[in-house]
Amino acid sequence: MENTIFSILPPIIAIVMVLLTRRVLLSLGAGIVAGALILTSFAPLAALQELFNSFAVTFWDEGFNAYNVYIILFLFLLGIITAFVSLSGGSLAFAEWASKRIKSRRGAKMLTVMLGMLIFIDDYFNALAVGQVARPITDRYRVSRAKLAYFIDSTAAPVCVISPVSSWGAAIIGIVATILAGQSYVQMSALQAFIWMAPMNFYVVATLAIVFFIAIRDVDFGAMKKHERLAIETGELYDANKTIPGEMKEEFPVHSHGRVIDLLLPILLLLAGTIGAMLYTGYQNAGQIFDIWLIFENTDVPLSLLIGGLLGAISSVLLYVRQFKQNKSANATWMAKGISEGIRSMSGAVFILIFAWSLSYLIDALQTGTYLADLVTAWNLPTAVLPVLLYVLAGFMAFSTGTSWGSFGILLPIAGNIMAQAAPELLLPALAAVLAGAVFGDHCSPISDTTILSSTGAGSNHMDHVLTQLPYALTAAAIGAVGYIVIGVTGSLWMALTSVIVILVILFTIWSKQGSVVEKQVNTQ
């Protein structure tokens, strides 16, 4: 049943169940079982073998699966860092220090957005690092964890996908280079093409514009309004009855020995270690050629995250050990509790990731992405609608499979072949449409690893993040679709970009006039 309509059933089952039940592991498990059964034509013993294989490949895939294992270890290390910056009083000290300089909820939100824009090296790294720095400040000003997760998710992949100096940019430039080599219409380098495609990514343009507007103005809608109102009125930043990745169950001692350096040094070492390791591994894997684009194309992101995580975790523990003499509550017993609590706090996110990877393995074996991509070549449609069609298809593929990289990895070469033959003048818009759709679908998908890590970094319940972000993502997606329709019909980037900007201005004007219950509440305080 590979490469057939049945191949889309497992992700659909998982996604529908997770939206109906909000029980992520149960829903992913149902999709995994369905995938194993469909892959083996409902043969019970063979399905059991595929179930085992789908989980085993997380750790061993024709050899040690360093990529997944290093990500898991990094998450545990991040939990340890979180535990010890709290245990040492670093989070409290940093929040107090920041509150003297950041005087409002708007300032706390803008800090988060700017950090998300600045840390563009990798989306995984962005999602987890920004959450660590911003969370004490947004908590202080009663910004809900769901809103924090939205800011993190909407400034991670969207910035990485248009930044040439990132793990995303390097990979995309490599794919685009092979596409341009096979045609003669576009006479430019892959890097030049990538830069030209950035303003054609209308979903990213709309998403970042909406993020900045929401950060500046407390205008919320959908489920987000409920979360923000609750945070402001009661100080309840998340539902205590739900599973929160990174949440500490142990009540750590409160003391006055914490310093800002107890939070900043582990985070700075995490940043420096990760970026340094990315440059080093990329340099080594590129044959020791110092070419920044080549380095980022060949960098080992999971290993770099692990190295940065080790530096951050070790420094956070050592900073706590330094308090043993002057802090009566600091001792080896609490140190052991900090390590165990940090690991435990990330176990929920790790299990979700393992289940998501298992489902991705089965989806790949069923050739779900190939089936969806083949639909494009089977339809005989006017060239003007191809950019928006590729945009929608990439979005649906990424939503169904939970991976933007897998989606654009499949669709970019297909889009290149189609457009080179049918409408070479629309080649770059079509490639940009694939990237935009892949990011959009990945944003909305509850089985996406970047969505999972964004909720983890923010300390938000995963389904709360998915459901509160969805209205904003759908709004940006609709605006992006208009842009691709305009560019498909006119062939003009400037007309398409102008149409997107005009819609955004109209939308922001309407939102500003309507206001929200949350904004009115904030203004009275």
Side-chain angles (χ1 to χ4, degrees):
M1 296 186 182
E2 297 92 335
N3 197 15
T4 67
I5 193 171
F6 297 103
S7 66
I8 67 174
L9 287 178
I12 288 176
I13 289 170
I15 290 166
V16 170
M17 275 194 65
V18 81
L19 293 175
L20 292 176
T21 67
R22 303 194 184 185
R23 299 178 64 181
V24 181
L25 288 178
L26 175 65
S27 303
L28 287 171
I32 291 167
V33 172
L37 289 171
I38 293 171
L39 185 62
T40 58
S41 300
F42 295 90
L45 292 178
L48 285 174
Q49 181 63 48
E50 285 300 331
L51 278 175
F52 174 79
N53 292 339
S54 70
F55 284 101
V57 295
T58 293
F59 307 97
W60 192 269
D61 185 11
E62 297 181 359
F64 178 63
N65 192 339
Y67 189 100
N68 290 351
V69 173
Y70 289 167
I71 292 293
I72 291 171
L73 291 175
F74 174 73
L75 283 174
F76 286 138
L77 290 169
L78 190 71
I80 291 172
I81 293 172
T82 304
F84 276 93
V85 297
S86 176
L87 192 58
S88 66
S91 294
L92 181 62
F94 181 74
E96 291 175 350
W97 174 84
S99 64
K100 296 175 182 177
R101 291 156 180 82
I102 297 174
K103 303 295 184 180
S104 64
R105 294 182 82 247
R106 179 180 297 173
K109 291 185 293 181
M110 283 302 299
L111 174 69
T112 306
V113 172
M114 294 309 299
L115 284 172
M117 295 284 289
L118 291 172
I119 302 176
F120 52 78
I121 299 298
D122 181 73
D123 58 327
Y124 284 6
F125 181 44
N126 180 304
L128 296 168
V130 173
Q132 289 295 295
V133 176
R135 196 193 306 175
I137 305 166
T138 54
D139 283 359
R140 170 64 65 92
Y141 286 99
R142 297 189 178 187
V143 177
S144 67
R145 294 287 179 81
K147 174 65 74 67
L148 177 59
Y150 163 65
F151 286 147
I152 291 171
D153 208 356
S154 296
T155 55
V159 175
C160 289
V161 79
I162 60 173
S163 171
V165 187
S166 70
S167 55
W168 284 59
I172 294 167
I173 289 170
I175 297 172
V176 170
T178 62
I179 294 171
L180 296 182
Q183 57 82 49
S184 58
Y185 185 84
V186 178
Q187 296 296 319
M188 61 177 67
S189 69
L191 176 59
Q192 289 174 313
F194 181 87
I195 293 171
W196 268 103
M197 286 159 55
M200 298 178 188
N201 197 319
F202 303 127
Y203 175 74
V204 167
V205 172
T207 295
L208 294 178
I210 292 173
V211 164
F212 273 102
F213 179 83
I214 297 299
I216 294 170
R217 298 291 301 274
D218 279 295
V219 179
D220 297 298
F221 52 91
M224 188 71 81
K225 183 184 290 187
K226 175 184 174 182
H227 282 264
E228 283 289 271
R229 184 195 297 117
L230 193 65
I232 291 168
E233 294 178 351
T234 69
E236 189 174 319
L237 304 173
Y238 54 87
D239 190 337
N241 296 317
K242 294 180 180 178
T243 302
I244 310 296
E247 180 188 11
M248 301 296 164
K249 298 295 185 184
E250 188 75 56
E251 290 293 333
F252 293 142
V254 177
H255 56 83
S256 58
H257 296 279
R259 300 168 300 166
V260 173
I261 195 67
D262 293 329
L263 179 138
L264 285 185
L265 184 60
I267 299 300
L268 289 173
L269 287 174
L270 171 66
L271 288 167
T274 301
I275 296 171
M278 287 178 71
L279 292 171
Y280 178 78
T281 57
Y283 175 72
Q284 293 295 323
N285 293 336
Q288 297 186 348
I289 299 172
F290 193 81
D291 182 323
I292 194 66
W293 315 114
L294 200 59
I295 286 172
F296 276 96
E297 183 179 351
N298 290 277
T299 190
D300 191 333
V301 174
L303 177 59
S304 302
L305 286 171
L306 180 62
I307 292 170
L310 280 169
L311 289 175
I314 292 170
S315 65
S316 67
V317 173
L318 292 177
L319 286 169
Y320 178 69
V321 171
R322 288 182 73 250
Q323 294 185 6
F324 278 12
K325 292 182 179 180
Q326 72 268 26
N327 182 1
K328 293 181 179 179
S329 66
N331 52 56
T333 301
W334 276 111
M335 186 173 73
K337 287 183 179 180
I339 294 172
S340 62
E341 182 66 12
I343 293 172
R344 187 215 57 78
S345 70
M346 287 296 173
S347 60
V350 168
F351 279 123
I352 293 174
L353 264 183
I354 291 172
F355 273 59
W357 285 331
S358 176
L359 181 59
S360 295
Y361 164 83
L362 293 168
I363 288 171
D364 185 58
L366 286 166
Q367 300 178 40
T368 304
T370 304
Y371 169 73
L372 292 172
D374 287 345
L375 293 179
V376 177
T377 57
W379 297 336
N380 187 17
L381 295 168
T383 57
V385 304
L386 288 178
V388 73
L389 176 64
L390 288 165
Y391 173 64
V392 172
L393 182 63
F396 182 73
M397 185 186 295
F399 182 78
S400 301
T401 60
T403 169
S404 50
W405 280 56
S407 301
F408 67 63
I410 292 171
L411 275 182
L412 280 177
I414 292 172
N417 289 332
I418 293 173
M419 303 312 293
Q421 299 298 321
E425 70 279 4
L426 292 176
L427 175 62
L428 295 186
L431 297 181
V434 169
L435 296 175
V439 173
F440 160 60
D442 188 68
H443 262 175
C444 298
S445 178
I447 62 174
S448 160
D449 49 3
T450 50
T451 308
I452 294 165
L453 292 177
S454 294
S455 56
T456 301
S460 167
N461 173 264
H462 179 57
M463 284 312 298
D464 282 347
H465 169 46
V466 171
L467 295 175
T468 52
Q469 178 170 258
L470 194 58
Y472 300 95
L474 290 173
T475 302
I479 296 171
V482 173
Y484 291 115
I485 292 171
V486 173
I487 203 170
V489 173
T490 67
S492 170
L493 165 62
W494 306 115
M495 289 185 68
L497 198 55
T498 299
S499 67
V500 168
I501 294 171
V502 168
I503 295 172
L504 285 168
V505 170
I506 293 171
L507 190 63
F508 293 163
T509 302
I510 294 171
W511 285 351
S512 295
K513 288 181 178 179
Q514 288 180 343
S516 71
V517 174
V518 172
E519 185 175 24
K520 293 173 184 176
Q521 178 69 26
V522 172
N523 291 337
T524 61
Q525 293 190 3

Coordinates of all heavy atoms in Angstrom, one line a residue, residues 236-275:
E236 N -2.0 32.8 36.5 CA -1.9 31.4 36.1 C -1.4 31.4 34.6 O -2.1 31.6 33.7 CB -3.2 30.7 36.2 CG -3.1 29.2 36.0 CD -4.5 28.5 36.3 OE1 -5.1 28.9 37.2 OE2 -4.8 27.6 35.5
L237 N -0.1 31.0 34.4 CA 0.5 31.1 33.1 C 0.2 29.9 32.3 O 0.4 29.9 31.1 CB 2.0 31.3 33.3 CG 2.5 32.5 34.1 CD1 4.0 32.5 34.4 CD2 2.1 33.8 33.5
Y238 N -0.2 28.8 32.9 CA -0.6 27.6 32.2 C -1.5 26.8 33.1 O -1.6 27.0 34.3 CB 0.7 26.8 31.8 CG 1.6 26.5 33.0 CD1 1.4 25.3 33.7 CD2 2.7 27.3 33.3 CE1 2.2 25.0 34.8 CE2 3.5 27.0 34.3 CZ 3.3 25.9 35.1 OH 4.1 25.6 36.1
D239 N -2.1 25.8 32.5 CA -3.0 24.9 33.3 C -2.2 23.9 34.1 O -1.6 23.1 33.5 CB -4.0 24.2 32.3 CG -5.1 23.5 33.0 OD1 -5.0 23.2 34.2 OD2 -6.2 23.2 32.4
A240 N -2.3 24.1 35.4 CA -1.5 23.2 36.2 C -1.9 21.7 36.2 O -1.1 20.9 36.6 CB -1.6 23.7 37.7
N241 N -3.1 21.5 35.6 CA -3.5 20.1 35.5 C -3.0 19.4 34.3 O -3.3 18.2 34.1 CB -5.1 20.1 35.5 CG -5.7 20.6 36.8 OD1 -5.2 20.3 37.9 ND2 -6.7 21.4 36.7
K242 N -2.3 20.1 33.4 CA -1.8 19.5 32.2 C -0.3 19.3 32.3 O 0.4 19.8 33.1 CB -2.1 20.5 31.0 CG -3.6 20.6 30.7 CD -3.8 21.6 29.5 CE -5.3 21.8 29.2 NZ -5.5 22.7 28.1
T243 N 0.1 18.4 31.4 CA 1.5 18.1 31.3 C 2.3 19.2 30.7 O 2.0 19.6 29.6 CB 1.8 16.8 30.5 OG1 1.0 15.7 31.1 CG2 3.3 16.4 30.5
I244 N 3.3 19.8 31.4 CA 4.1 20.9 30.9 C 5.5 20.4 30.8 O 6.2 20.1 31.8 CB 4.0 22.1 31.8 CG1 2.6 22.4 32.2 CG2 4.7 23.3 31.3 CD1 1.7 22.9 31.0
P245 N 6.1 20.4 29.5 CA 7.5 20.0 29.4 C 8.4 21.0 30.1 O 8.2 22.2 30.1 CB 7.8 20.1 27.9 CG 6.4 20.1 27.3 CD 5.5 20.7 28.2
G246 N 9.4 20.5 30.9 CA 10.3 21.4 31.6 C 9.8 21.8 33.0 O 10.5 22.5 33.7
E247 N 8.5 21.4 33.3 CA 8.0 21.8 34.6 C 8.6 21.1 35.7 O 8.8 19.8 35.7 CB 6.5 21.6 34.6 CG 5.8 22.0 35.9 CD 4.3 21.5 35.9 OE1 3.9 20.7 35.1 OE2 3.6 22.0 36.8
M248 N 9.0 21.8 36.8 CA 9.7 21.1 37.9 C 8.6 20.8 39.0 O 7.9 21.7 39.4 CB 10.7 22.1 38.5 CG 11.8 22.5 37.5 SD 12.8 21.1 37.0 CE 13.6 21.8 35.6
K249 N 8.6 19.5 39.3 CA 7.6 19.1 40.4 C 8.2 19.3 41.8 O 7.4 19.6 42.7 CB 7.4 17.6 40.2 CG 6.7 17.2 38.9 CD 5.3 17.7 38.8 CE 4.6 17.2 37.5 NZ 3.3 17.8 37.3
E250 N 9.5 19.3 41.9 CA 10.1 19.5 43.2 C 10.2 21.0 43.5 O 10.5 21.8 42.7 CB 11.6 19.0 43.1 CG 12.3 19.0 44.5 CD 11.8 17.8 45.4 OE1 11.9 16.7 45.0 OE2 11.4 18.2 46.5
E251 N 9.8 21.3 44.7 CA 9.8 22.7 45.2 C 11.2 23.0 45.7 O 11.6 22.6 46.8 CB 8.8 22.9 46.3 CG 7.3 22.8 45.8 CD 7.0 24.0 44.9 OE1 7.6 25.1 45.1 OE2 6.1 23.8 44.1
F252 N 12.0 23.7 44.9 CA 13.4 24.0 45.3 C 13.4 25.1 46.3 O 12.5 26.0 46.3 CB 14.2 24.5 44.0 CG 14.4 23.4 43.0 CD1 14.3 23.7 41.7 CD2 14.6 22.1 43.4 CE1 14.6 22.7 40.7 CE2 14.8 21.1 42.5 CZ 14.8 21.4 41.1
P253 N 14.4 25.1 47.2 CA 14.5 26.1 48.2 C 14.6 27.5 47.7 O 15.3 27.8 46.7 CB 15.7 25.7 49.0 CG 16.0 24.3 48.7 CD 15.5 24.1 47.3
V254 N 13.9 28.5 48.3 CA 14.0 29.9 47.9 C 15.0 30.6 48.8 O 15.0 30.4 50.0 CB 12.6 30.6 48.0 CG1 12.8 32.1 47.7 CG2 11.6 29.9 47.1
H255 N 16.0 31.3 48.2 CA 17.0 31.9 48.9 C 17.5 33.2 48.2 O 17.1 33.5 47.1 CB 18.2 30.9 49.1 CG 18.8 30.4 47.8 ND1 19.7 31.1 47.1 CD2 18.5 29.2 47.2 CE1 20.0 30.4 46.0 NE2 19.3 29.2 46.0
S256 N 18.4 33.9 48.8 CA 18.8 35.2 48.2 C 20.3 35.1 47.7 O 20.9 36.2 47.6 CB 18.7 36.3 49.3 OG 19.5 36.0 50.4
H257 N 20.8 33.9 47.5 CA 22.2 33.8 47.1 C 22.4 33.8 45.6 O 23.5 33.7 45.1 CB 22.8 32.5 47.7 CG 22.8 32.5 49.2 ND1 23.8 33.2 50.0 CD2 22.0 32.0 50.2 CE1 23.6 33.0 51.3 NE2 22.5 32.3 51.4
G258 N 21.3 33.8 44.9 CA 21.4 33.7 43.4 C 21.9 35.0 42.8 O 21.7 36.1 43.3
R259 N 22.6 34.8 41.7 CA 23.2 36.0 41.0 C 22.8 35.8 39.5 O 22.4 34.8 39.0 CB 24.7 36.0 41.1 CG 25.2 36.1 42.5 CD 26.7 35.9 42.5 NE 27.0 34.5 42.0 CZ 28.2 34.1 41.7 NH1 29.2 35.0 41.8 NH2 28.4 32.9 41.2
V260 N 22.8 37.0 38.8 CA 22.4 36.9 37.4 C 23.4 36.0 36.6 O 22.9 35.3 35.7 CB 22.5 38.4 36.8 CG1 22.3 38.4 35.3 CG2 21.4 39.3 37.5
I261 N 24.6 36.0 37.0 CA 25.6 35.1 36.3 C 25.2 33.6 36.4 O 25.6 32.8 35.6 CB 27.0 35.4 36.9 CG1 28.1 34.8 36.0 CG2 27.1 34.8 38.3 CD1 28.2 35.5 34.7
D262 N 24.5 33.3 37.5 CA 24.0 31.9 37.6 C 23.1 31.4 36.5 O 23.0 30.2 36.2 CB 23.3 31.7 39.0 CG 24.3 31.8 40.1 OD1 25.5 31.5 40.0 OD2 23.9 32.3 41.2
L263 N 22.4 32.4 35.9 CA 21.6 32.0 34.7 C 22.4 32.4 33.4 O 22.4 31.6 32.5 CB 20.3 32.8 34.7 CG 19.4 32.6 33.5 CD1 17.9 32.4 33.9 CD2 19.5 33.7 32.5
L264 N 23.0 33.5 33.4 CA 23.6 34.0 32.1 C 24.8 33.1 31.7 O 24.9 32.8 30.5 CB 24.1 35.4 32.2 CG 23.0 36.5 32.2 CD1 23.6 37.9 32.2 CD2 22.1 36.3 31.0
L265 N 25.7 32.7 32.6 CA 26.9 32.0 32.2 C 26.5 30.6 31.6 O 27.1 30.3 30.5 CB 27.8 31.8 33.4 CG 29.1 31.1 33.1 CD1 29.9 31.9 32.1 CD2 29.9 30.8 34.4
P266 N 25.6 29.8 32.2 CA 25.2 28.5 31.5 C 24.6 28.8 30.1 O 25.0 28.0 29.1 CB 24.2 27.9 32.4 CG 24.6 28.5 33.8 CD 25.0 29.9 33.5
I267 N 23.8 29.8 30.0 CA 23.2 30.1 28.7 C 24.2 30.6 27.7 O 24.3 30.2 26.5 CB 22.1 31.2 28.8 CG1 21.0 30.6 29.7 CG2 21.5 31.5 27.4 CD1 20.3 29.4 29.2
L268 N 25.2 31.4 28.1 CA 26.2 31.9 27.2 C 27.1 30.8 26.8 O 27.5 30.7 25.6 CB 27.0 33.0 27.9 CG 26.3 34.4 28.1 CD1 27.1 35.3 28.9 CD2 26.0 35.0 26.7
L269 N 27.5 29.9 27.7 CA 28.3 28.8 27.3 C 27.5 27.8 26.4 O 28.1 27.2 25.5 CB 28.8 28.0 28.6 CG 29.8 28.7 29.4 CD1 30.1 28.0 30.7 CD2 31.1 28.9 28.6
L270 N 26.2 27.7 26.6 CA 25.4 26.9 25.7 C 25.5 27.5 24.3 O 25.6 26.7 23.3 CB 24.0 26.9 26.3 CG 22.9 26.3 25.3 CD1 23.1 24.8 25.2 CD2 21.5 26.5 25.9
L271 N 25.3 28.8 24.2 CA 25.3 29.5 22.9 C 26.7 29.3 22.3 O 26.8 28.9 21.1 CB 25.0 31.0 23.1 CG 23.6 31.3 23.4 CD1 23.5 32.8 23.9 CD2 22.7 31.1 22.2
A272 N 27.7 29.7 23.0 CA 29.1 29.7 22.5 C 29.5 28.3 22.1 O 30.1 28.1 21.0 CB 30.1 30.3 23.5
G273 N 29.2 27.3 23.0 CA 29.6 25.9 22.7 C 28.9 25.4 21.5 O 29.5 24.7 20.6
T274 N 27.6 25.7 21.3 CA 26.9 25.2 20.2 C 27.4 25.8 18.9 O 27.6 25.1 17.9 CB 25.4 25.4 20.4 OG1 24.9 24.8 21.5 CG2 24.6 24.9 19.2
I275 N 27.5 27.1 18.9 CA 27.9 27.8 17.6 C 29.3 27.5 17.3 O 29.6 27.2 16.1 CB 27.8 29.4 17.8 CG1 26.3 29.7 18.0 CG2 28.3 30.1 16.6 CD1 26.0 31.2 18.4

